[in-house]
Amino acid sequence: MGQADAGIRLSEIQRSEVEDFLYHEAALLDSWKLDEWLALLTGDATYRVPSNDRPHSDPKSALFTIADDIRRIRARVTRLKDPHAHAESPRSRTRRLISNVRIVERDPLCVEANFIIHRFRGNDDVRQYVGRYRYTLVREGNGLKIRSREAILDAMELASLGTVSFIL
């Protein structure tokens, strides 16, 4: 498929298709179907959680909470699935609410959405993570795939939120 064909297909993507994709991704993460979630990523995907004070910075020159390439994403999933990994044993239970999905650019397909994640862990208090996702999506076959995924948290400090050992 040529570049023009891909551009035409990207321009035809509707917000409802993007919403359904993001809802599906949230359901996979909430149900801890991490291998199925990995299948939503491209071979060169990135997953980032920038610092709250510099959300548009580059991880090469600024501190990021998470700045993973696909190799590190796969290693993160392997660690999270390990029953002996103390950071997520027992694993967190999460419930993601996705809203205000917007297509902000068509070529490449850039999408933003607001999120609230409720995290339940053992006997800890319920923690809430509130912020905004930024995605770059690509069309592969009949579906969408994630080339980049950023979770920008609104909280100015993370100490009260605890560790971010699960996938935001």
Coordinates of all heavy atoms in Angstrom, one line a residue, residues 3-64:
Q3 N 1.9 5.4 0.2 CA 1.7 6.4 1.2 C 0.3 7.1 1.0 O -0.4 7.4 1.9 CB 2.8 7.5 1.1 CG 2.8 8.5 2.2 CD 3.1 8.0 3.6 OE1 3.2 6.8 3.8 NE2 3.4 8.8 4.5
A4 N -0.1 7.4 -0.3 CA -1.3 8.1 -0.5 C -2.5 7.2 -0.1 O -3.5 7.7 0.5 CB -1.5 8.4 -2.0
D5 N -2.4 5.9 -0.3 CA -3.5 5.0 0.1 C -3.6 5.0 1.6 O -4.7 5.0 2.2 CB -3.2 3.5 -0.3 CG -3.3 3.4 -1.8 OD1 -4.0 4.2 -2.5 OD2 -2.6 2.5 -2.4
A6 N -2.5 5.0 2.4 CA -2.5 5.0 3.8 C -3.1 6.3 4.3 O -3.9 6.4 5.2 CB -1.1 4.8 4.4
G7 N -2.7 7.5 3.6 CA -3.3 8.8 4.0 C -4.8 8.8 3.8 O -5.5 9.4 4.6
I8 N -5.3 8.3 2.7 CA -6.7 8.3 2.5 C -7.4 7.4 3.5 O -8.4 7.8 4.1 CB -7.0 7.7 1.1 CG1 -6.5 8.6 0.0 CG2 -8.5 7.4 0.9 CD1 -6.5 8.1 -1.4
R9 N -6.8 6.3 3.9 CA -7.5 5.5 4.9 C -7.4 6.2 6.3 O -8.4 6.1 7.0 CB -6.7 4.1 5.0 CG -7.0 3.3 3.7 CD -6.4 2.0 3.7 NE -7.2 1.2 4.6 CZ -6.8 0.0 5.0 NH1 -5.6 -0.5 4.7 NH2 -7.5 -0.7 5.8
L10 N -6.4 6.9 6.6 CA -6.3 7.6 7.9 C -7.3 8.7 7.9 O -8.0 9.0 8.9 CB -4.9 8.2 8.1 CG -3.8 7.2 8.5 CD1 -2.5 7.9 8.6 CD2 -4.2 6.4 9.8
S11 N -7.5 9.4 6.8 CA -8.5 10.5 6.7 C -9.9 10.0 6.9 O -10.8 10.7 7.2 CB -8.3 11.3 5.5 OG -8.7 10.5 4.3
E12 N -10.1 8.7 6.6 CA -11.5 8.1 6.7 C -11.8 7.6 8.1 O -13.0 7.3 8.4 CB -11.6 7.0 5.7 CG -11.6 7.5 4.2 CD -11.6 6.3 3.3 OE1 -11.5 5.1 3.7 OE2 -11.6 6.6 2.1
I13 N -10.8 7.6 9.0 CA -11.1 7.1 10.3 C -12.0 8.1 11.1 O -11.7 9.3 11.1 CB -9.8 6.9 11.1 CG1 -9.0 5.7 10.4 CG2 -10.0 6.6 12.6 CD1 -7.6 5.5 11.0
Q14 N -13.0 7.5 11.7 CA -14.0 8.3 12.4 C -13.6 8.3 13.9 O -13.0 7.3 14.4 CB -15.4 7.8 12.2 CG -15.8 7.8 10.8 CD -15.9 9.2 10.2 OE1 -16.5 10.1 10.8 NE2 -15.3 9.4 9.1
R15 N -14.0 9.3 14.6 CA -13.8 9.4 16.1 C -14.4 8.2 16.8 O -13.8 7.6 17.7 CB -14.4 10.7 16.7 CG -14.1 10.8 18.2 CD -14.6 12.1 18.7 NE -16.0 12.4 18.3 CZ -17.1 12.0 18.9 NH1 -17.0 11.2 19.9 NH2 -18.3 12.3 18.4
S16 N -15.5 7.7 16.3 CA -16.1 6.5 17.0 C -15.2 5.3 16.9 O -15.2 4.5 17.8 CB -17.5 6.2 16.4 OG -17.4 6.0 15.0
E17 N -14.5 5.1 15.8 CA -13.6 4.0 15.6 C -12.4 4.1 16.6 O -12.0 3.2 17.3 CB -13.1 3.9 14.2 CG -12.1 2.7 14.0 CD -11.6 2.6 12.6 OE1 -11.9 3.4 11.7 OE2 -10.8 1.7 12.4
V18 N -11.9 5.4 16.8 CA -10.9 5.6 17.7 C -11.4 5.4 19.1 O -10.7 4.7 19.9 CB -10.3 7.0 17.5 CG1 -9.3 7.4 18.7 CG2 -9.7 7.2 16.2
E19 N -12.6 5.9 19.5 CA -13.1 5.6 20.8 C -13.3 4.1 21.1 O -12.8 3.7 22.2 CB -14.5 6.3 20.9 CG -14.5 7.7 21.1 CD -15.9 8.3 21.2 OE1 -16.8 7.8 20.5 OE2 -16.1 9.3 21.9
D20 N -13.8 3.4 20.1 CA -13.9 1.9 20.4 C -12.6 1.3 20.6 O -12.4 0.4 21.5 CB -14.6 1.3 19.2 CG -16.1 1.6 19.1 OD1 -16.7 2.1 20.1 OD2 -16.7 1.3 18.0
F21 N -11.6 1.7 19.9 CA -10.2 1.2 20.0 C -9.7 1.5 21.4 O -9.2 0.6 22.1 CB -9.3 1.8 19.0 CG -7.9 1.3 19.1 CD1 -7.5 0.0 18.6 CD2 -6.9 2.1 19.6 CE1 -6.2 -0.4 18.7 CE2 -5.6 1.7 19.7 CZ -5.2 0.4 19.3
L22 N -9.8 2.8 21.9 CA -9.4 3.1 23.2 C -10.1 2.4 24.3 O -9.6 2.1 25.3 CB -9.4 4.7 23.4 CG -8.6 5.5 22.5 CD1 -8.7 7.0 22.8 CD2 -7.1 5.0 22.4
Y23 N -11.4 2.3 24.1 CA -12.2 1.5 25.1 C -11.8 0.1 25.2 O -11.7 -0.5 26.3 CB -13.7 1.6 24.8 CG -14.3 3.0 24.8 CD1 -15.5 3.2 24.1 CD2 -13.8 4.0 25.5 CE1 -16.1 4.5 24.1 CE2 -14.3 5.3 25.6 CZ -15.5 5.5 24.8 OH -16.1 6.7 24.8
H24 N -11.5 -0.5 24.0 CA -11.0 -1.9 24.0 C -9.6 -2.0 24.7 O -9.4 -2.9 25.5 CB -10.8 -2.4 22.5 CG -10.2 -3.7 22.4 ND1 -10.8 -4.9 22.8 CD2 -9.0 -4.1 21.8 CE1 -10.1 -5.9 22.5 NE2 -9.0 -5.4 21.9
E25 N -8.7 -1.0 24.5 CA -7.4 -1.0 25.1 C -7.6 -0.9 26.6 O -7.0 -1.7 27.4 CB -6.6 0.1 24.6 CG -5.2 0.1 25.3 CD -4.5 1.5 25.3 OE1 -5.1 2.5 25.2 OE2 -3.3 1.4 25.5
A26 N -8.5 0.0 27.1 CA -8.8 0.1 28.5 C -9.3 -1.2 29.1 O -8.9 -1.6 30.2 CB -9.7 1.3 28.8
A27 N -10.2 -1.9 28.4 CA -10.8 -3.1 28.9 C -9.7 -4.2 29.1 O -9.6 -4.9 30.0 CB -11.9 -3.6 28.0
L28 N -8.8 -4.2 28.1 CA -7.7 -5.2 28.2 C -6.8 -5.0 29.4 O -6.4 -5.9 30.1 CB -6.8 -5.2 26.9 CG -7.5 -5.7 25.6 CD1 -6.6 -5.5 24.4 CD2 -7.9 -7.2 25.8
L29 N -6.4 -3.7 29.6 CA -5.6 -3.4 30.7 C -6.3 -3.6 32.1 O -5.7 -4.1 33.0 CB -5.1 -1.9 30.6 CG -4.1 -1.7 29.5 CD1 -3.8 -0.2 29.3 CD2 -2.8 -2.4 29.8
D30 N -7.6 -3.2 32.1 CA -8.3 -3.5 33.4 C -8.5 -4.9 33.7 O -8.5 -5.3 34.9 CB -9.7 -2.8 33.3 CG -9.6 -1.3 33.5 OD1 -8.6 -0.8 34.0 OD2 -10.6 -0.6 33.1
S31 N -8.6 -5.8 32.7 CA -8.7 -7.2 32.9 C -7.4 -8.0 32.9 O -7.4 -9.2 33.0 CB -9.7 -7.8 31.9 OG -9.2 -7.6 30.6
W32 N -6.3 -7.2 32.9 CA -4.9 -7.7 33.0 C -4.6 -8.7 31.8 O -3.9 -9.6 32.0 CB -4.8 -8.4 34.4 CG -3.4 -8.3 34.9 CD1 -2.5 -9.4 35.0 CD2 -2.7 -7.2 35.5 NE1 -1.3 -9.0 35.6 CE2 -1.4 -7.6 35.9 CE3 -3.0 -5.9 35.6 CZ2 -0.5 -6.8 36.5 CZ3 -2.1 -5.0 36.2 CH2 -0.8 -5.5 36.6
K33 N -5.2 -8.4 30.7 CA -4.9 -9.2 29.5 C -3.7 -8.5 28.8 O -3.8 -7.9 27.7 CB -6.1 -9.3 28.6 CG -7.2 -10.1 29.2 CD -8.4 -10.2 28.3 CE -9.5 -11.0 29.0 NZ -10.7 -11.1 28.2
L34 N -2.5 -8.6 29.4 CA -1.4 -7.8 29.0 C -0.8 -8.3 27.6 O -0.3 -7.5 26.8 CB -0.3 -7.8 30.0 CG -0.8 -7.2 31.4 CD1 0.4 -7.3 32.4 CD2 -1.3 -5.8 31.2
D35 N -0.9 -9.6 27.3 CA -0.4 -10.1 26.1 C -1.3 -9.6 24.9 O -0.8 -9.2 23.9 CB -0.3 -11.6 26.0 CG 0.8 -12.1 26.9 OD1 1.9 -11.5 27.0 OD2 0.6 -13.2 27.6
E36 N -2.6 -9.5 25.1 CA -3.5 -9.0 24.1 C -3.2 -7.5 24.0 O -3.3 -7.0 22.9 CB -4.9 -9.3 24.5 CG -5.3 -10.8 24.4 CD -6.7 -11.0 24.8 OE1 -7.6 -10.3 24.3 OE2 -6.9 -12.0 25.6
W37 N -2.9 -6.8 25.1 CA -2.6 -5.4 25.0 C -1.4 -5.2 24.2 O -1.3 -4.3 23.3 CB -2.5 -4.8 26.4 CG -2.1 -3.4 26.3 CD1 -2.8 -2.3 26.0 CD2 -0.8 -2.8 26.6 NE1 -2.1 -1.1 26.0 CE2 -0.8 -1.4 26.4 CE3 0.5 -3.4 26.9 CZ2 0.3 -0.6 26.6 CZ3 1.6 -2.6 27.1 CH2 1.5 -1.2 26.9
L38 N -0.3 -6.0 24.4 CA 0.9 -5.9 23.6 C 0.6 -6.0 22.1 O 1.3 -5.4 21.3 CB 1.9 -7.0 24.0 CG 2.9 -6.7 25.2 CD1 3.7 -7.9 25.5 CD2 3.7 -5.5 24.9
A39 N -0.3 -6.9 21.8 CA -0.7 -7.1 20.3 C -1.2 -5.8 19.7 O -1.2 -5.7 18.5 CB -1.6 -8.2 20.2
L40 N -1.7 -4.8 20.5 CA -2.2 -3.6 19.9 C -1.0 -2.6 19.6 O -1.3 -1.6 19.0 CB -3.1 -2.9 21.0 CG -4.3 -3.6 21.4 CD1 -5.1 -2.7 22.4 CD2 -5.2 -3.9 20.2
L41 N 0.2 -3.0 19.9 CA 1.3 -2.1 19.7 C 2.1 -2.4 18.4 O 2.2 -3.6 18.0 CB 2.3 -2.2 20.9 CG 1.7 -1.9 22.3 CD1 2.8 -2.1 23.3 CD2 1.1 -0.6 22.4
T42 N 2.7 -1.4 17.8 CA 3.5 -1.6 16.6 C 4.9 -2.1 17.1 O 5.2 -2.0 18.3 CB 3.7 -0.3 15.8 OG1 4.4 0.6 16.7 CG2 2.4 0.2 15.3
G43 N 5.7 -2.6 16.2 CA 7.0 -3.1 16.5 C 8.0 -2.0 17.0 O 9.1 -2.3 17.5
D44 N 7.6 -0.7 16.8 CA 8.5 0.4 17.2 C 7.8 1.3 18.2 O 8.1 2.4 18.4 CB 8.9 1.2 16.0 CG 7.8 1.8 15.2 OD1 6.6 1.4 15.5 OD2 8.1 2.6 14.3
A45 N 6.8 0.7 18.9 CA 6.0 1.5 19.9 C 6.8 2.1 21.0 O 7.8 1.5 21.4 CB 4.9 0.6 20.4
T46 N 6.3 3.2 21.6 CA 6.8 3.8 22.8 C 5.7 4.0 23.8 O 4.5 4.2 23.4 CB 7.5 5.1 22.5 OG1 6.6 6.0 21.9 CG2 8.7 4.9 21.6
Y47 N 6.0 4.0 25.0 CA 5.1 4.2 26.1 C 5.8 5.2 27.1 O 6.9 4.9 27.6 CB 4.7 2.9 26.8 CG 4.1 3.0 28.2 CD1 3.0 3.9 28.4 CD2 4.5 2.3 29.3 CE1 2.4 4.0 29.6 CE2 3.9 2.4 30.5 CZ 2.9 3.2 30.7 OH 2.3 3.4 31.9
R48 N 5.2 6.3 27.3 CA 5.9 7.3 28.1 C 4.9 7.9 29.1 O 3.7 8.1 28.8 CB 6.4 8.5 27.2 CG 7.5 8.0 26.3 CD 8.0 9.1 25.5 NE 9.1 8.6 24.7 CZ 9.6 9.2 23.6 NH1 9.0 10.3 23.2 NH2 10.6 8.7 22.9
V49 N 5.5 8.3 30.3 CA 4.8 9.1 31.3 C 5.7 10.2 31.7 O 6.7 10.0 32.4 CB 4.4 8.2 32.6 CG1 3.7 9.1 33.6 CG2 3.6 7.0 32.2
P50 N 5.5 11.4 31.1 CA 6.5 12.5 31.3 C 6.3 13.1 32.7 O 5.3 12.8 33.4 CB 6.1 13.5 30.2 CG 4.7 13.2 29.9 CD 4.5 11.7 30.1
S51 N 7.3 13.8 33.1 CA 7.1 14.5 34.4 C 6.0 15.5 34.2 O 5.7 16.0 33.1 CB 8.4 15.2 34.8 OG 8.7 16.3 33.9
N52 N 5.4 15.8 35.3 CA 4.2 16.7 35.3 C 4.5 18.1 35.0 O 3.7 18.8 34.4 CB 3.5 16.6 36.7 CG 3.3 15.2 37.1 OD1 4.2 14.4 37.2 ND2 2.0 14.9 37.3
D53 N 5.7 18.6 35.3 CA 6.1 20.0 35.0 C 6.6 20.2 33.6 O 6.6 21.4 33.2 CB 7.1 20.5 36.1 CG 8.4 19.7 36.0 OD1 8.4 18.5 35.5 OD2 9.4 20.2 36.4
R54 N 6.9 19.2 32.9 CA 7.4 19.3 31.5 C 6.8 18.2 30.6 O 7.6 17.4 30.1 CB 8.9 19.3 31.5 CG 9.5 20.5 32.3 CD 11.0 20.5 32.3 NE 11.5 20.6 30.9 CZ 12.7 20.2 30.6 NH1 13.6 19.8 31.5 NH2 13.2 20.4 29.3
P55 N 5.5 18.2 30.4 CA 4.9 17.1 29.7 C 5.2 17.1 28.2 O 5.0 16.0 27.6 CB 3.4 17.4 29.9 CG 3.2 18.8 30.2 CD 4.5 19.2 30.9
H56 N 5.7 18.1 27.6 CA 6.1 18.1 26.2 C 7.6 18.0 25.9 O 8.0 18.1 24.8 CB 5.6 19.4 25.5 CG 4.1 19.6 25.6 ND1 3.2 18.8 24.8 CD2 3.3 20.4 26.4 CE1 2.0 19.2 25.1 NE2 2.0 20.1 26.0
S57 N 8.3 17.6 27.0 CA 9.8 17.5 26.8 C 10.1 16.2 26.2 O 9.3 15.3 26.0 CB 10.4 17.7 28.2 OG 9.9 16.7 29.1
D58 N 11.4 16.0 25.9 CA 12.0 14.9 25.3 C 12.7 14.0 26.4 O 13.4 14.6 27.2 CB 13.0 15.3 24.2 CG 13.6 14.2 23.5 OD1 13.8 13.0 24.0 OD2 14.0 14.4 22.3
P59 N 12.4 12.7 26.4 CA 13.0 11.9 27.5 C 14.5 11.8 27.4 O 15.2 11.4 28.4 CB 12.4 10.5 27.2 CG 11.9 10.5 25.9 CD 11.6 11.9 25.5
K60 N 15.1 12.3 26.3 CA 16.6 12.3 26.2 C 17.2 13.5 27.0 O 18.4 13.4 27.3 CB 17.0 12.4 24.7 CG 16.7 11.1 24.0 CD 17.1 11.2 22.5 CE 16.6 10.0 21.8 NZ 16.6 10.1 20.4
S61 N 16.3 14.5 27.2 CA 16.9 15.7 27.9 C 16.1 16.0 29.2 O 16.4 17.1 29.8 CB 16.9 16.8 27.0 OG 15.5 17.1 26.5
A62 N 15.1 15.2 29.6 CA 14.3 15.6 30.7 C 13.9 14.3 31.5 O 14.0 13.2 30.9 CB 13.0 16.3 30.3
L63 N 13.6 14.4 32.8 CA 13.3 13.3 33.6 C 11.8 12.9 33.2 O 10.9 13.7 33.2 CB 13.3 13.7 35.1 CG 13.0 12.7 36.1 CD1 14.0 11.5 36.0 CD2 12.9 13.2 37.5
F64 N 11.7 11.6 33.0 CA 10.4 11.0 32.7 C 10.1 9.9 33.8 O 11.0 9.2 34.3 CB 10.3 10.3 31.4 CG 9.9 11.2 30.2 CD1 10.5 12.4 30.0 CD2 8.9 10.8 29.4 CE1 10.1 13.2 28.9 CE2 8.5 11.6 28.4 CZ 9.1 12.8 28.1

